[in-house]
């Protein structure tokens, strides 16, 4: 009697294997052959669970953003204003092994965006959600007297989101700007003119 395989569980195992390879050896090492070996299945069996390698990367991207969103929600629980914004930044910006690995996955996903409208939609949805959160925290900071009343919420939100992405890229590049103290200094510099 053939072994019954839980399709969803096997897909999770394959994505886990992809994330392990990327964190250990980088995106270039995550080939179909390496992925199959890491997952303990044949290369051909990969495509029983995914339509192509891009689907594996997409699911990895979704997993990373899902985990980040869970951490943001937990860290910001009960926080408002700049404290909530800080909690959000800490869980997005690369500062430890997990967030550095996540930055590598996210940046590799960006490389696929030009060829996949579905991936662009997914990326825009994340940007919109994080934009709503950042804007909300900035409004709270104004209400709580942490920021001046004329703080330009929309441009500051766009700038913060762009900086979050740029610092993920800088981490993957190995730039000194990705060091946690420099990340903090950049965020503080952006908020500085609007602080009370």
């Amino acid at each position: 009697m053939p072994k019954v395989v839980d399709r969803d569980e096997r897909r999770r195992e394959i994505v886990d294997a992809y994330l392990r390879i990327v964190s250990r050896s980088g995106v270039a090492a995550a080939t179909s052959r390496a992925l199959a070996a890491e997952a303990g299945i044949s290369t051909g069996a990969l495509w029983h669970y995914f339509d192509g390698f891009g689907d594996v990367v997409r699911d990895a991207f979704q997993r990373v953003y899902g985990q980040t969103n869970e951490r943001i929600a937990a860290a910001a629980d009960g926080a408002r204003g700049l404290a909530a914004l800080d909690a959000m930044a800490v869980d997005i910006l690369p500062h430890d092994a997990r967030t550095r690995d996540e930055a590598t996955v996210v940046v590799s996903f960006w490389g696929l965006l030009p060829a996949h409208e579905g991936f662009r939609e997914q990326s825009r949805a994340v940007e919109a959600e994080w934009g709503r959160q950042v804007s909300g925290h900035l409004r709270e900071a104004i209400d709580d007297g942490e920021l001046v009343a004329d703080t330009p919420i929309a441009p500051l939100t766009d700038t913060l989101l762009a900086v979050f992405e740029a610092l993920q890229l800088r981490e993957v590049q190995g730039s000194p700007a990705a060091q946690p103290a420099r990340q903090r200094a950049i965020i503080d510099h952006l908020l500085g003119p609007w602080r009370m």
Side-chain angles (χ1 to χ4, degrees):
M1 186 167 177
K3 181 180 175 184
V4 176
V5 176
D6 180 331
R7 184 174 175 76
D8 291 337
E9 179 61 28
R10 181 54 57 93
R11 286 174 62 92
R12 281 190 292 276
E13 290 169 0
I14 293 168
V15 169
D16 288 343
Y18 174 82
L19 293 171
R20 285 193 303 273
I21 293 168
V22 169
S23 68
R24 182 175 63 236
S25 306
V27 174
T31 64
S32 296
R33 185 174 301 191
L35 180 56
E38 184 78 21
I41 60 176
S42 70
T43 303
L46 285 173
W47 314 127
H48 292 288
Y49 303 99
F50 291 93
D51 291 335
F53 208 84
D55 288 346
V56 176
V57 177
R58 183 202 63 229
D59 280 13
F61 176 83
Q62 288 175 328
R63 169 99 53 89
V64 166
Y65 273 111
Q67 290 170 346
T68 302
N69 286 336
E70 288 173 9
R71 288 195 316 268
I72 289 169
D77 187 33
R80 286 179 50 87
L82 295 182
L85 181 62
D86 183 63
M88 185 176 185
V90 165
D91 281 307
I92 293 172
L93 297 176
H95 65 278
D96 59 15
R98 177 185 0 200
T99 52
R100 287 184 186 108
D101 290 347
E102 288 174 350
T104 301
V105 172
V106 168
V107 170
S108 69
F109 179 83
W110 292 343
L112 299 173
L113 294 178
H116 299 278
E117 177 56 30
F119 290 7
R120 287 195 299 269
E121 288 175 12
Q122 187 177 3
S123 184
R124 287 190 300 263
V126 169
E127 178 184 18
E129 174 56 31
W130 285 1
R132 282 189 294 275
Q133 290 181 44
V134 169
S135 293
H137 298 322
L138 291 174
R139 281 188 194 88
E140 291 168 350
I142 292 169
D143 292 345
D144 295 349
E146 296 174 299
L147 296 176
V148 297
D150 63 346
T151 299
I153 292 175
L156 190 52
T157 296
D158 289 343
T159 303
L160 286 166
L161 291 175
V163 167
F164 292 165
E165 289 182 347
L167 289 172
Q168 288 180 313
L169 177 59
R170 291 283 179 93
E171 171 60 37
V172 174
Q173 292 171 328
S175 169
Q179 295 172 359
R182 288 187 63 181
Q183 293 175 13
R184 168 61 52 210
I186 291 167
I187 302 300
D188 287 345
H189 176 74
L190 289 173
L191 295 172
W194 315 109
R195 287 184 186 270
M196 292 290 280

